[in-house]
Amino acid sequence: DADCAGKIQGLEEFIGVSMLGVATKYQRMIIMEGEGGSGKSLLIEAVTQVCFQEEQVTSTAPAEWAGFAAPSLDGPLLNVVTEMPEGRTFRSDRFKSVISGDRITVARKNQNEYSMRPRAGHIIAANKLPEMSDPAVIRRLFVMQFNRTFVGDADRKTEGVILQELRGVAPRIRI
């Protein structure tokens, strides 16, 4: 992509603030949009393996942020969703609070509700963005277009190569 350097810089910065637990101060969420085979899910998996410990990562889709899955956002530094269901929209009432780190009430099954502040950064992969009309949601999205598919591409890098490249820049991201 012609804007590859900008995408890399934006992603590295977002990973860095997520690693520090301050992603909600930026009130943004990354959505990687592109057709299947463009490397979105592989990149998300590589980022989580290299930059975060397993307990620091959760996978809770925005549609579940108001349900019993919401407590999974209590503690982790990064929330990743590798497949956004097409046609699903973000519930704007809960979306802003989760992305901004506002206090939210959550409940676990058969337990009392409690209040918490999410601090995770959010990276979501989608083949196609769902329809959205709420400006509060739209302005919080940092959409990265993945314009190239690697299906059957001789230049496609293996997961091992991608992990090795990311390990090389991980210390710089942390700094």
Side-chain angles (χ1 to χ4, degrees), residues 14-175:
F14 193 80
I15 293 166
V17 298
S18 295
M19 291 171 74
L20 293 171
V22 296
T24 55
K25 291 183 180 185
Y26 296 90
Q27 299 188 17
R28 304 284 290 216
M29 175 176 81
I30 290 180
I31 294 189
M32 299 176 173
E33 180 188 26
E35 62 183 86
S38 60
K40 304 177 304 286
S41 297
L42 180 58
L43 180 56
I44 288 172
E45 184 62 30
V47 164
T48 59
Q49 282 186 38
V50 172
C51 299
F52 296 89
Q53 296 173 6
E54 187 173 334
E55 66 274 5
Q56 295 175 319
V57 180
T58 189
S59 181
T60 307
E64 300 169 337
W65 290 355
F68 286 118
S72 67
L73 299 173
D74 188 3
L77 300 175
L78 185 67
N79 179 50
V80 296
V81 179
T82 56
E83 192 60 45
M84 180 72 179
E86 288 190 36
R88 302 294 290 273
T89 58
F90 301 113
R91 288 189 49 181
S92 59
D93 58 332
R94 190 70 157 197
F95 180 88
K96 179 188 172 291
S97 296
V98 170
I99 297 300
S100 302
D102 296 338
R103 190 162 290 285
I104 61 172
T105 300
V106 296
R108 297 184 194 274
K109 285 187 178 181
N110 302 319
Q111 294 183 13
N112 293 332
E113 292 182 342
Y114 68 97
S115 179
M116 55 81 85
R117 287 187 186 274
R119 62 183 184 144
H122 301 271
I123 302 175
I124 295 178
N127 292 342
K128 183 179 175 187
L129 284 177
E131 292 290 324
M132 288 178 249
S133 59
D134 186 341
V137 171
I138 295 168
R139 76 172 165 263
R140 285 177 171 80
L141 302 180
F142 177 27
V143 180
M144 294 181 148
Q145 294 289 331
F146 278 55
N147 301 313
R148 181 175 173 190
T149 182
F150 293 97
V151 175
D153 189 332
D155 294 331
R156 183 179 186 154
K157 294 179 182 177
T158 65
E159 182 177 350
V161 170
I162 293 170
L163 287 170
Q164 187 61 32
E165 288 179 5
L166 190 55
R167 283 186 186 102
V169 298
R172 187 182 68 191
I173 292 171
R174 286 184 182 96
I175 290 171

